[in-house]
Amino acid sequence: GFSEFGGKYHLFYQYYPYDSVWGSMHWGHQTTTDYIKWEHQPVALAPDEDYDYIGCFSGTALSEGDKHYLAYTSVIDGAQNQAIAYSTDGIVYQKSEYNSILTGKDLPEGFSNGDFRDPKIFKRDNVYYMLVGNRDESGNKQIICFKSNNIEKDWEYFGVTYSRKDVGGIFECPDLIS
């Protein structure tokens, strides 16, 4: 999606840069100042760590002070976890030393680590919140929330934001518009 950082608008998207078929997910990156002329940037995220070697899937971007943060779903051996990267120039992104910032160990009992994806981070009253799509073992599809005072670590479960049993799949790419 879109975000603003360093005087430019940034567009990130999932893609596999080595072929026109499905492969381990990367984050492509384009920037613009006017929404007319777009500049292709280097790949923002690539699956190059033990915790994300299957792919860097959907997430969100957040500008915070002099850093541009990317939160994404890191996938390894059927487990979906949440990870974070940051940049000070809006071009080169460094993965956090604290990754993965959320794993199955952070989920309440009965919640799925295999359907735990698409983090959306926002900040309110100096607290960071993260919405993530999930399902539980009873079949509820839900959006769950975590909170932290430090965007890169110390995330704790905060509760279920929304839940329904009568829909298929899970809620993907949750967002909050206020």
Side-chain angles (χ1 to χ4, degrees), residues 73-95:
T73 298
S74 58
V75 180
I76 178 172
D77 298 330
Q80 298 176 355
N81 301 306
Q82 310 318 310
I84 199 159
Y86 61 88
S87 176
T88 56
D89 65 5
I91 304 297
V92 177
Y93 289 83
Q94 172 73 40
K95 293 179 182 174

Side-chain angles (χ1 to χ4, degrees), residues 8-28:
K8 294 182 180 181
Y9 300 102
H10 297 255
L11 173 65
F12 299 96
Y13 50 92
Q14 293 183 31
Y15 86 120
Y16 181 61
Y18 309 110
D19 203 342
S20 60
V21 297
W22 180 268
S24 57
M25 208 48 62
H26 293 58
W27 276 36

Side-chain angles (χ1 to χ4, degrees), residues 46-55 72 74-77 79 81 95 99-100:
D48 57 5
E49 299 290 340
D50 289 343
Y51 56 81
D52 65 11
Y53 77 89
I54 292 177
Y72 66 100
S74 58
V75 180
I76 178 172
D77 298 330
N81 301 306
K95 293 179 182 174
N99 284 338
S100 292

Side-chain angles (χ1 to χ4, degrees), residues 54-130:
I54 292 177
C56 300
F57 289 83
S58 292
T60 190
L62 177 71
S63 297
E64 185 63 27
D66 63 351
K67 291 186 179 176
H68 196 217
Y69 288 95
L70 305 180
Y72 66 100
T73 298
S74 58
V75 180
I76 178 172
D77 298 330
Q80 298 176 355
N81 301 306
Q82 310 318 310
I84 199 159
Y86 61 88
S87 176
T88 56
D89 65 5
I91 304 297
V92 177
Y93 289 83
Q94 172 73 40
K95 293 179 182 174
S96 174
E97 66 182 288
Y98 302 105
N99 284 338
S100 292
I101 60 171
L102 287 172
T103 69
K105 294 176 186 173
D106 299 300
L107 291 169
E109 187 174 332
F111 285 33
S112 173
N113 190 208
D115 287 312
F116 177 44
R117 58 182 172 264
D118 308 329
K120 170 65 178 188
I121 295 180
F122 60 95
K123 185 177 180 182
R124 287 233 170 103
D125 298 325
N126 292 317
V127 176
Y128 298 98
Y129 295 90
M130 181 188 304

